[in-house]
Amino acid sequence: MAEVNLVINGEQVRAQEGMSILEAAREADIFIPTLCHHAEIDAYGACRLCVVELRQGDRSRVVASCLYPVAEGLVVETESEKIKNYRRTILNLLLQRWDNIPRALLDRYGAAPNPRYVENMTFCILCGLCVRYCRDVKGANVLGFIGRGTIRQVVVFPDQAMKYCPTCGNGEMECLHYCPTGVITSDYQGTGPANGQPLPHAYPVCIRDETNILEILERVGHLEY
Amino acid sequence: MLGTVDRIIDSYGARQEALVQILLDIQHELRWLPRPVLERVAARLELPLNLIYNVTTFYKHFSLVPQGRHSISVCVGTACHVRGASRLLGRVSEALGIKPDETTADEKFTLKTVSCLGCCALGPVMVLDGEYMSNPNSTDIAELIEKCE
Ligand code: SF4
Ligand code: FES
Ligand code: FES
């Protein structure tokens, strides 16, 4: 594979063609925060925390480093003022769904939980790591997304779950270790819904706010037949 | 029901890329997408069920609950809102005995709200099976409903 040279934060970095900027940076021990990235799973671009600035003369672009491939002569800034601002905004938005983002990360970019939003907390940031792990690595398709926009959420398909989950990771359920928020770990136990109430076709994974979830299921029609 | 589904799938050569088109055609014939249908589509196209749900819940056009034989939409867009959409919606709702997004028990009517139909000057607008009307009163609505089979 061809080698390419790029500059990250003023430092010369060598990388293999086909790598993402994120991978090149990590290999060079340069920090870029991520929430939806995992080395074993294809990049997805959901959390946007990995944004970096690409400089070309006095022009600059902001791209998601987990998806952007390295190229000869790229000039990348990972912690410019602009990027720090972006990350603060992104973290503040994520905080509205999940208020337990690691303190160090929040402090680094000056983000802070806002008590106004606690009511809407879902704890799932829709990073898709669980869904993608189950689909791409295990080929089991037990988890999936339903809905769009503000009602988008992760659900589990019970028939598939019965088939695969009991033996996955020797009963450990491997997806549990991928969720950055720990939602699945705390709420999705065994192969049924945590609240013990059988819904016919798709169980929500994040069962902290039951009414919200019932409403969503109703809206997409899972409760009715 | 599944016969229809198979026929539609075959007409697209059971191609995965035709998923949305297949679902649209099925919904056109059955008016909604019952679960066994989704399972059949998944099996025939060799796609996982979670993907089928992802797609069918993404597009608002698809319905996973039964739809009435007739559809009534009331526009609640800005112009119609200002011109009294909520009162119109109330009248329709009362005449049918259902709330928006619901279907009558006899599966005759489904009531929906939409946001701007592009004919704001007629507002508040109601559409019955594709026919537009401007601010029908309770008597008009009762008559229209009566006429539907
Ligand atoms: S449940 Fe966890 S892993 Fe799955 S999408 Fe939500 S935050 Fe990500
Ligand atoms: S890591 Fe790149 S968008 Fe989440
Ligand atoms: S707002 Fe109702 S038609 Fe435009």
Side-chain angles (χ1 to χ4, degrees), chain A residues 21-99:
Chain A
I21 295 177
L22 177 67
E23 286 167 327
R26 293 219 161 146
E27 220 148 271
D29 272 331
I30 295 166
F31 172 80
I32 296 177
T34 62
L35 282 173
C36 74
H37 181 265
H38 196 285
E40 288 168 42
I41 309 171
D42 284 348
Y44 185 57
C47 74
R48 295 282 136 178
L49 211 55
C50 69
V51 284
V52 296
E53 212 176 333
L54 296 186
R55 294 251 168 93
Q56 207 170 36
D58 30 325
R59 301 196 341 178
S60 96
R61 295 171 62 188
V62 173
V63 300
S65 64
C66 66
L67 290 169
Y68 203 94
V70 291
E72 188 64 38
L74 277 188
V75 179
V76 183
E77 287 293 331
T78 69
E79 293 279 321
S80 60
E81 277 314 303
K82 189 176 195 174
I83 291 299
K84 284 190 192 154
N85 270 330
Y86 274 44
R87 292 207 184 119
R88 177 174 340 106
T89 305
I90 292 165
L91 285 168
N92 278 330
L93 291 170
L94 288 173
L95 277 167
Q96 297 172 30
R97 301 185 62 106
W98 172 38
D99 58 1

Side-chain angles (χ1 to χ4, degrees), chain B residues 15-127:
Chain B
R15 286 193 339 271
Q16 291 182 343
E17 319 84 83
L19 174 63
V20 170
Q21 205 52 52
I22 289 171
L23 291 169
L24 283 172
D25 285 12
I26 296 174
Q27 166 142 326
H28 187 75
E29 295 221 6
L30 305 179
R31 294 202 308 272
W32 66 295
L33 300 169
R35 168 147 171 119
V37 166
L38 298 183
E39 280 169 348
R40 181 65 144 238
V41 172
R44 290 281 325 271
L45 300 190
E46 296 178 15
L47 289 169
L49 193 63
N50 62 357
L51 185 130
I52 310 279
Y53 269 92
N54 198 338
V55 171
T56 50
T57 60
F58 185 89
Y59 296 107
K60 213 180 162 202
H61 182 79
F62 293 123
S63 173
L64 301 183
V65 288
Q67 295 292 296
R69 292 190 296 286
H70 302 279
S71 92
I72 298 190
S73 309
V74 174
C75 178
V76 293
T78 312
C80 289
H81 173 77
V82 171
R83 301 173 69 135
S86 56
R87 266 166 298 163
L88 173 59
L89 183 60
R91 291 199 291 277
V92 180
S93 219
E94 200 186 297
L96 295 172
I98 52 173
K99 293 201 283 290
D101 284 331
E102 287 181 356
T103 298
T104 52
D106 55 3
E107 293 199 5
K108 203 160 158 189
F109 295 101
T110 297
L111 176 59
K112 287 204 171 125
T113 57
V114 290
S115 306
C116 195
L117 294 156
C119 50
C120 311
L122 293 177
V125 181
M126 176 183 118
V127 188

Side-chain angles (χ1 to χ4, degrees), chain A residues 158 162 191-204 214 217 222-223 225:
Chain A
M162 297 304 172
T191 51
N195 63 359
Q197 183 191 3
L199 300 173
H201 310 303
Y203 301 107
L214 291 180
L217 287 179
H222 289 279
L223 271 183
Y225 52 98

